[in-house]
Amino acid sequence: MSRKWVAASIIAVIGGAAVILICTFFGAADVTIKDTLVILANKTGGFFEDEAAALGSKGTIIWNLRFPRSLLAFLIGGALAVCGGVYQAIFKNPMADPFVLGISSGAAFGATIGIVLSIPATFLGMNTVSAFAFAGALAAIFFVYNIARVGRQANTTSLLLCGIAVNQLLTSIISFVMLVASNEMKQIYFWTLGSFSARSWSHVVTVLPYVVIGLAVIFMFARELDIMVLGDETAVRFGVNVERNKRILFLVTSLLMAACVSVSGIIGFIGLVSPHVVRIIFGPVHKRLLPMSFLLGGAVLCICDTIARSVMEAEIPVGIITAIVGAPFFIYLLRAKNDEVM
């Protein structure tokens, strides 16, 4: 491992931590970086007890509202970016994103059913809407994979086409439900745009195991992903069990994205753009691409969420901010790539 890579890794980790800290203190309430550091040091290490007690309600704002929200945004942004990098490798397509197989529409459909039913219950720490969104996301990927599968194999082209078809079908059904259940239309619409409003430590606790375990498993396949990018036939010649790896990675990424989407709603462009940027800076080797994508995706979504809750009195769904930032940047990347080819 080169010194440059070690230095870059340290800088990236420090930068990610700095983004979380800055996004935690930034907002409408009069909270300073010093206040934020005092509360975080007190809650995590028991330091500065008198100073933390003197802050009163500011401590509640920092520890119970802003910090878990910023941490959750960072975790979900990083997870989406890693999943995007995995899908781009599996499909050998730079346009692939975490939701290409219908997970987003499946989650949105599940959330729509949960909103309409309004059942006051919880399941594995999730409320009804989150639980239905989680189930809908998993059902969509299961359906797409089994439709595209021939025997024990699933052709990537068939998977993409099935994903597009399922996306369109479920989007149409959601639109119909919104027309019929007009009282819940606004809530459904805002959920599909993504938001971290009113998110707390319970949501962090719900998502964290999926993120930690999911990323650990994905990172174990970094070398195989490097080879799979070269093509399935080439990967087989190198001794890679392509279909087994695909099934494992589809399962892990599906669980990871389902958990993320169930608490945040649908947030686009993070998983599409972040791996591109990292690939340009650090190259295509996945042992570097995946961790750096996590840090970049987490930082970008954390910043976008801070913008979403700060620019207006009424909070803007974070999916709007990521689209405004991500779409022009992605167009720029495509244009720059086309200029290189010419």
Side-chain angles (χ1 to χ4, degrees):
M1 188 175 292
S2 68
R3 291 183 179 180
K4 287 184 178 180
W5 168 245
V6 173
S9 301
I10 294 172
I11 292 171
V13 171
I14 294 173
V19 166
I20 296 175
L21 177 63
I22 293 170
C23 292
T24 298
F25 95 83
F26 193 86
D30 184 20
V31 175
T32 65
I33 290 183
K34 180 183 176 181
D35 296 336
T36 304
L37 289 172
V38 166
I39 293 298
L40 294 182
N42 175 255
K43 294 294 185 179
T44 56
F47 304 107
F48 308 116
E49 291 187 7
D50 294 337
E51 292 87 339
L55 291 174
S57 61
K58 289 184 179 180
T60 302
I61 293 172
I62 293 169
W63 184 250
N64 293 331
L65 299 177
R66 290 189 184 174
F67 184 61
R69 176 170 177 160
S70 296
L71 183 59
L72 183 66
F74 193 93
L75 289 173
I76 289 179
L80 292 177
V82 169
C83 291
V86 170
Y87 275 42
Q88 288 168 14
I90 291 177
F91 291 107
K92 294 169 280 293
N93 186 340
M95 297 300 293
D97 76 349
F99 304 129
V100 71
L101 297 184
I103 288 180
S104 60
S105 56
F109 176 73
T112 299
I113 300 302
I115 291 170
V116 172
L117 293 178
S118 299
I119 300 173
T122 59
F123 178 74
L124 296 178
M126 301 180 186
N127 60 25
T128 303
V129 175
S130 295
F132 271 83
F134 186 88
L138 293 183
I141 187 66
F142 178 81
F143 181 77
V144 168
Y145 185 83
N146 281 278
I147 291 296
R149 187 180 63 179
V150 178
R152 295 181 60 85
Q153 297 185 357
N155 180 271
T156 53
T157 301
S158 298
L159 282 168
L160 287 170
L161 293 174
C162 288
I164 293 171
V166 169
N167 265 319
Q168 293 298 320
L169 174 63
L170 292 180
T171 299
S172 300
I173 296 174
I174 292 167
S175 299
F176 177 74
V177 173
M178 290 171 68
L179 289 175
V180 174
S182 56
N183 292 335
E184 288 81 20
M185 182 182 295
K186 184 176 181 180
Q187 187 179 355
I188 295 170
Y189 179 70
F190 270 82
W191 192 95
T192 60
L193 293 176
S195 176
F196 292 101
S197 177
R199 300 302 185 265
S200 63
W201 282 111
S202 63
H203 298 92
V204 175
V205 171
T206 298
V207 169
L208 188 60
Y210 291 94
V211 173
V212 173
I213 298 172
L215 295 185
V217 174
I218 290 171
F219 291 158
M220 290 170 59
F221 286 86
R223 178 182 170 277
E224 284 79 1
L225 287 170
D226 289 338
I227 300 173
M228 289 168 65
V229 170
L230 303 175
D232 291 354
E233 292 182 2
T234 303
V236 170
R237 285 199 295 270
F238 276 95
V240 176
N241 190 331
V242 175
E243 292 304 318
R244 180 183 68 86
N245 289 351
K246 283 182 181 179
R247 287 195 294 270
I248 294 173
L249 289 170
F250 280 142
L251 175 62
V252 173
T253 54
S254 298
L255 288 169
L256 179 54
M257 287 187 289
C260 290
V261 174
S262 69
V263 301
S264 69
I266 301 170
I267 300 173
F269 284 100
I270 296 296
L272 181 63
V273 176
S274 298
H276 275 283
V277 176
V278 174
R279 199 175 286 112
I280 291 171
I281 299 173
F282 296 101
V285 179
H286 283 83
K287 70 177 182 179
R288 298 181 180 182
L289 175 68
L290 295 177
M292 285 299 181
S293 294
F294 176 82
L295 293 171
L296 178 61
V300 170
L301 185 54
C302 197
I303 293 170
C304 288
D305 178 57
T306 303
I307 295 171
R309 63 178 169 80
S310 302
V311 295
M312 296 177 62
E313 279 189 32
E315 184 172 319
I316 304 172
V318 69
I320 294 177
I321 303 299
T322 58
I324 291 173
V325 173
F329 189 71
F330 188 64
I331 292 171
Y332 166 76
L333 289 177
L334 290 177
R335 183 62 184 173
K337 186 176 181 180
N338 291 337
D339 289 343
E340 288 179 5
V341 173
M342 295 177 63

